[in-house]
Each structure stands twice: as structure tokens, then as C-alpha cells.
């Protein structure tokens, strides 16, 4: 749909403008606060970016619904809903690590049709429109062809309440780690999914996620030929993603 292409182009323009601001502010002092735990950060740029994006959407697409990490839901009458994480990987951003991004997913009548993940410090733009494939900086991408677990490099993450519950992903790690070639923990669910989409990683899983963490990345991965299992649980989303050769093999070790 031409409208989807226009919405994606607008989202890219706004994300890149916001990303430039993030890069500029990362060089100086920054206000950083904790949310649910001592390491669950929100920076002033999380708030600024979210406000910047929601104002752009309201001005250009009045009536569109929005779901955001920092300020919650914005109601509207439209069939379109924007799902926004202003900085996925806030801890990385606050500490000067380059692995963070702006993630924007757009749903139409409840189905995700547009995904954009922009990593300012890396200079990488992952994007997808449903049914049209996925790309990185304008080049088509595809998930890897690795088919053996012992050759696979897989990413994961851990919930903020990891020290207060046994449901902290460590049991999954203990089961899967001896079977695979390598394990990575990089701190951004959206970018982890995109690394699987472009074949740098072979798989990824995590527990207790929110939809703004993965909304865009899941579409990008699916459009790149990968497979995704997502289960809604009481404390958040369980997401397991991989190339088509490894998906069922990984799932056998970490099924919830």
C-alpha cells in the first residue's frame, strides 16, 4: 500500500532526526533515573524522543492510536496503532555502549504491517513492510542458513527482576548453552531480532518482554525469512526467534 510506504518514510525521517539528538546528547551530561529496579534506567532522551515522535504522529496522522513505553497509551479512532520504544537498550545508551535503537512498529487492524528499527550510533536502519521483505540500509536481508546447533550463535537477555525470582531465564541458558556454538547478551531486544534477521545471529530468545520491545523487530525478522514464537504470559511476552532451520531445535530446549 502506498500509504504504508509513506508512513514508513515518515517514521524513518523522524527516527533519524531523533537519533541525531540522541547522539548529540550522549556526548554531554545526562539526567538518568531508575524505574522498577536499580538497573532499569530511563534517560531524559527516552522522554524527549518519545514526546518528539508522538507529537509528529499526532500532527501528521491525527486520530492514530499510539502505545509507548514511557507515557502509555494514546487513544484514537483510527485502525492504525503505532507501538514505540524511544530507546531500546537504555542501559547501553546511558553507559555509552553503541547497541541501542529507536523501535517503531505500526499495526493496522491489529496486525503489524510496518517495522522500523534505527540504531543511531551504528548507523543502521532495519525496515520492513508486510509482504515486501526486509532490508538493512536499503539492502535486502535474509536470516542465516545455519542448521546445526553446535555451530549456532544465539542471543538472549534477562529480566530486571532476575535476582528476585527463579523465573529469570537462567534455567533456559543452562539447558541450551552446552548445545550451541556461542551465546551473546547485548541488551536490546529489537536489535537482537534484527541481528537474526540479517544473519549475524542464528537465533534469540527472551522472557518478560513488552510489545514495544519487539513489535518492529518481529516483523523485520519474519519478512527476512525467520520464524518467531511469541507467547503472552502473566509477566510479559516470551519470544523465541531463529532461522527456519533452527527454530524447532532451539524451541525443544527452552519451550515454556
Amino acid at each position: 500500500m502506498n500509504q504504508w510506504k509513506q508512513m514508513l518514510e515518515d517514521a524513518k525521517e523522524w527516527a533519524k532526526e531523533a537519533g541525531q539528538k540522541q547522539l548529540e546528547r550522549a556526548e554531554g551530561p545526562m539526567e538518568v533515573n531508575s524505574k522498577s529496579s536499580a538497573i532499569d534506567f530511563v534517560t531524559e532522551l527516552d522522554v524527549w524522543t518519545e514526546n518528539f515522535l508522538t507529537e509528529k504522529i499526532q500532527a501528521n496522522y491525527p486520530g492514530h492510536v499510539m502505545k509507548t513505553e514511557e507515557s502509555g497509551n494514546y487513544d484514537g479512532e483510527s485502525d492504525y496503532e503505532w507501538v514505540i520504544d524511544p530507546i531500546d537498550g537504555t542501559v547501553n545508551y546511558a553507559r555509552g555502549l553503541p547497541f541501542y535503537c529507536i523501535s517503531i512498529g505500526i499495526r493496522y487492524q491489529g496486525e503489524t504491517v510496518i517495522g522500523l528499527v534505527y540504531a543511531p550510533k551504528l548507523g543502521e536502519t532495519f525496515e520492513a513492510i508486510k509482504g515486501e521483505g526486509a532490508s538493512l540500509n536499503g539492502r535486502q536481508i535474509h536470516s542465516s542458513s545455519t542448521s546445526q546447533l553446535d555451530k549456532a550463535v544465539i542471543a538472549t537477555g534477562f529480566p530486571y527482576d532476575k535476582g528476585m525470582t527463579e523465573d529469570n531465564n537462567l534455567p533456559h541458558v543452562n539447558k541450551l548453552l552446552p548445545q550451541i556454538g556461542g551465546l551473546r547478551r547485548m541488551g536490546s531486544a529489537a536489535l537482537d531480532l534484527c541481528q537474526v534477521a540479517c544473519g549475524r545471529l542464528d537465533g534469540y530468545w527472551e522472557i518478560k518482554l513488552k510489545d514495544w520491545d519487539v513489535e518492529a523487530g518481529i516483523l523485520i525478522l519474519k519478512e527476512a525469512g525467520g520464524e518467531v514464537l511469541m507467547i503472552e504470559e502473566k509477566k510479559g511476552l516470551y519470544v523465541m526467534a531463529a532461522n527456519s532451520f533452527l527454530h524447532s531445535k532451539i524451541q525443544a530446549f527452552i519451550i515454556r
Side-chain angles (χ1 to χ4, degrees), residues 15 28 36 38 54 60 63 79 81 115 119-120 135 137 143 158 165 180 188 207 212 245:
S36 62
T54 55
N60 290 271
D79 287 331
E81 180 182 18
S135 66
N137 289 350
S143 56
F158 299 94
T165 174
I180 61 177
S188 167
I207 65 174
W212 50 73
F245 303 99

Side-chain angles (χ1 to χ4, degrees), residues 36-219:
S36 62
S37 73
I39 199 67
D40 187 6
F41 293 160
V42 58
T43 72
E44 61 186 273
L45 265 295
D46 288 86
V47 177
W48 182 90
T49 300
E50 185 167 291
N51 290 339
F52 173 80
L53 293 173
T54 55
E55 288 170 6
K56 289 289 188 180
I57 294 164
Q58 288 174 325
N60 290 271
Y61 297 98
H64 281 206
V65 181
M66 288 180 282
K67 186 174 188 178
T68 66
E69 179 176 13
E70 306 303 337
S71 55
N73 298 334
Y74 294 75
D75 295 331
E77 305 78 37
S78 174
D79 287 331
Y80 285 99
E81 180 182 18
W82 299 62
V83 183
I84 299 168
D85 193 338
I87 304 180
D88 186 52
T90 297
V91 174
N92 288 347
Y93 178 66
R95 288 183 168 256
L97 296 168
F99 205 75
Y100 63 89
C101 65
I102 298 169
S103 176
I104 302 173
I106 304 176
R107 298 169 178 159
Y108 177 67
Q109 296 181 343
E111 181 180 25
T112 310
V113 297
I114 297 169
L116 173 69
V117 173
Y118 174 57
K121 190 67 173 178
L122 300 176
E124 295 190 335
T125 304
F126 296 87
E127 61 188 270
I129 293 176
K130 182 174 174 57
E132 297 188 11
S135 66
L136 163 58
N137 289 350
R139 302 186 308 274
Q140 188 170 16
I141 55 175
H142 201 279
S143 56
S144 74
S145 57
T146 305
S147 59
Q148 295 176 243
L149 275 178
D150 62 358
K151 296 185 184 300
V153 179
I154 298 172
T156 192
F158 299 94
Y160 290 116
D161 64 354
K162 60 188 178 298
M164 299 177 285
T165 174
E166 292 183 357
D167 187 21
N168 59 9
N169 202 29
L170 283 177
H172 297 316
V173 172
N174 291 336
K175 288 179 183 177
L176 188 60
L177 183 59
Q179 312 298 324
I180 61 177
L183 183 69
R184 300 291 181 267
R185 193 275 194 264
M186 293 183 285
S188 167
L191 277 175
D192 282 339
L193 287 164
C194 289
Q195 305 313 298
V196 182
C198 70
R200 293 170 178 163
L201 294 172
D202 303 302
Y204 158 78
W205 89 93
E206 196 165 345
I207 65 174
K208 300 181 183 178
L209 293 165
K210 302 299 184 183
D211 48 1
W212 50 73
D213 298 318
V214 297
E215 185 75 21
I218 284 177
L219 178 66

Side-chain angles (χ1 to χ4, degrees), residues 193 196 202-205 221 227-229 239-243 247 250:
L193 287 164
V196 182
D202 303 302
Y204 158 78
W205 89 93
L221 176 56
E227 296 185 17
V228 180
L229 170 68
V239 174
M240 202 288 286
N243 69 36
H247 193 265
I250 297 171

